[in-house]
Amino acid sequence: MSEPGKPSPVESIKDQSRFLAGDIGPEMVDANDHFGKSSEVLLKFHGTYQQDDRDVRGGAVVEDGKKKKSYIFMVRTKIPGGKLTSRQLLDELDLCDEVGNTTLRITSRQGIQLHGVVKSNLKQVINKINDTQLSTLGACGDVNRNVMCCPAPYKNNVYRQTQELADKLAEHFAPKTKSYHELWLTDSVTGDKELAGGATDGDGFDVEPIYGKFYMPRKFKMAIGYAFDNCVDLYANDLGLMALTDGDRIIGYNVLAGGGMGVTPSAKKTFPAVAKRICFATPENVLAVTEALFKVQRDFGNREDRKVARLKYVIANWGVEKFKAKVEEYFGGPLLDPHSDDVHGFNDHMGWDEQGDGNWFYGLNVENGRIKDTEQVRLKTALREICRTLTPGIRLTSHQSILFTDIRPQDRKTLEKILRDHGVKLSEDISTVRRWSMACVAWPTCGLSITESERALPGLLDQLEVELARLGLSAEKFTVRMTGCPNGCARPYNCDIGLVGKAKGKYTLLLGGRLLGDRLNFIYKDMLPEEEIIPALVPVLLYFKQARTSGETLGDFCQRKGLDDLLAFADRSAAPAPA
Ligand code: SRM
Ligand code: SF4
């Protein structure tokens, strides 16, 4: 915890790190199975997290009277717009077998994570990821994170332009330090050689033109989507660029700012927020507007208390008007008001769709993004076969799923056959509720998890599917998102049904967000034991069935009725019938 007025300890680690080099080099080759505290912070900027296997923590080896952790590393690849080749996916799959825990994870921001890497293999892993023309630099840490963009591969000007913008933003805001290259991509690291990283005595803007030596106060997240398709959850990002189109032309972007999910329930000063509508940017000035806004957060984000360091707190403290005025000052001129259009559609891009060039793409729902082989479902092997035989383009979605692109009409059947032969359900065979759900990683790797999430959601959905079928609601489209702690990595605060781990085996149940992602949900029940989650939802679903207006969605219904009415109905339906 930092003292008021004093920069947080992470700020001095960045300051003294010589642009993220720190002591990672010497520590990489020492005899320990883990890095020291400062390196642990700096490693995040390089795309890796030092973790320990929490399934074995309780029974870990005891050495010198102390429990010894079983150290492992998560390695995250940053993939702008989730776009990669078959070769790149094959290489990541090979890595997870050779040096990981034999699984890969598609993240909620279109990235890929390897889990269970040991320290002695870390350099080899990051090196290989770079060999395949991907990078882990800035996948974590106080920098611009993976830039999300609608992954649909339609061959038209609009989709081409947004993908190009995602690449441009990713490149523009990537850290420029030499330390990444020196540490992971050369042989120069030895125990006694200190890396330069890009040493300078000044403020560092000559080395890091956008960041300087202190980088950002906290992580910063950008996404590009459309008013007619908000599949990237624009309102949950620090910066959302909502493309407005006229035919096959992008006329500009509504700039949304200050979205963020993370909250610490015990700290009243923290809260989740959906982004505010700030201004309109043209295709010509969108990069300059983005840079101005980014620099306002760089210079005014809180550097003393990391709990309130995200952009949402600057905007909450100042108000939209003052914030916009400051962005205008950095931009060097007035900015237009946002266009009246707003998000009104959402497409998860699952199933078959034509690309517009005679070829097709197929969206495959991957439950919670986990790619693995089990006895019944051999998804990892199926992906390998698809990549080797059909060599499709690959796009990852912000719902932890995968698109195979550029499939020739004559290959559609082959793709489906490969999936079926390996026991993989096609998206069409997955229930609507499962298809629109997601869970964060949580146990056993996430050091912050309080409850299960990825391992708990499938079982809860089994029960929910039964209840929905019983009520005749199986075709209803709504989002269920679960996380193992309040940090919100699966974006549980703007969906229809949010489940957030609060204490061991207990969850907060939230209702009233919606697929469009443009409003927060509210707490319906707190500290709910896992086994009471579905029973608590049943009266809500029953009330929805009985009292919804025509075409009303579950989230809209819960929002209209409100907490007290929903609770009163649940009480009434639980009360024994009068004798
Ligand atoms: Fe996250 C931290 C996993 C998307 C908010 N997140 C973590 C860490 C690194 C835990 C840690 O700090 O020790 C988790 C690693 C777990 C593991 O074992 O792999 C983790 N976050 C993930 C992923 C893998 C979840 C997933 O299942 O897909 C997502 C990786 C995305 C990527 O490729 O970059 C992931 N995290 C998100 C999102 C969703 C989004 O960005 O759209 C959010 C909410 C949006 C936001 O940022 O507000 C999110 N993660 C957090 C926070 C809370 C931040 C805050 O402002 O309070 C933390 C904790 C922190 O930063 O202190 C966190
Ligand atoms: Fe870990 Fe919490 Fe994020 Fe889940 S929400 S991955 S438990 S930090």
Side-chain angles (χ1 to χ4, degrees), residues 165 168-169 172-173 281-292:
L165 180 59
K168 204 196 251 184
L169 293 175
H172 191 72
F173 293 99
T282 63
E284 293 71 37
N285 72 16
V286 65
L287 182 61
V289 173
T290 300
E291 185 171 325

Side-chain angles (χ1 to χ4, degrees), residues 51 105 107-108 113 219 221 261 310 445 489 491:
Q51 305 179 316
R105 193 142 194 312
T107 74
S108 56
Q113 284 187 184
K219 57 180 79 168
K221 299 182 170 177
M261 297 277 111
R310 297 287 294 273
T445 54
C489 297
R491 300 186 291 270

Side-chain angles (χ1 to χ4, degrees), residues 254-281:
N254 266 359
V255 177
L256 319 168
M261 297 277 111
V263 61
T264 310
S266 58
K268 289 277 169 277
K269 59 189 172 186
T270 67
F271 48 80
V274 287
K276 305 277 184 293
R277 293 156 60 84
I278 306 295
C279 62
F280 177 83

Side-chain angles (χ1 to χ4, degrees), residues 359-410:
N359 286 335
W360 291 74
F361 72 93
Y362 184 74
L364 177 73
N365 184 272
V366 178
E367 189 157 32
N368 301 325
R370 184 68 68 180
I371 300 176
K372 61 181 178 188
D373 276 357
T374 64
E375 252 173 56
Q376 293 80 28
V377 184
R378 291 181 302 126
L379 175 61
K380 191 169 57 173
T381 309
L383 290 188
R384 280 200 165 107
E385 196 170 328
I386 289 170
C387 288
R388 282 186 191 131
T389 55
L390 301 175
T391 57
I394 303 290
R395 304 266 173 116
L396 307 176
T397 79
S398 68
H399 268 230
Q400 305 167 327
S401 285
I402 192 166
L403 312 183
F404 304 104
T405 75
D406 308 307
I407 304 287
R408 297 178 309 168
Q410 61 270 36

Side-chain angles (χ1 to χ4, degrees), residues 23 55 101 135 144 173 208 308 362 369 450 462 501 507 523 528 530 567 575:
D23 293 328
D55 275 347
N101 69 354
S135 177
N144 188 36
F173 293 99
E208 287 282 14
V308 289
Y362 184 74
I450 301 168
D462 289 344
Y507 295 82
I523 295 179
L528 200 59
E530 190 181 327
L567 286 172

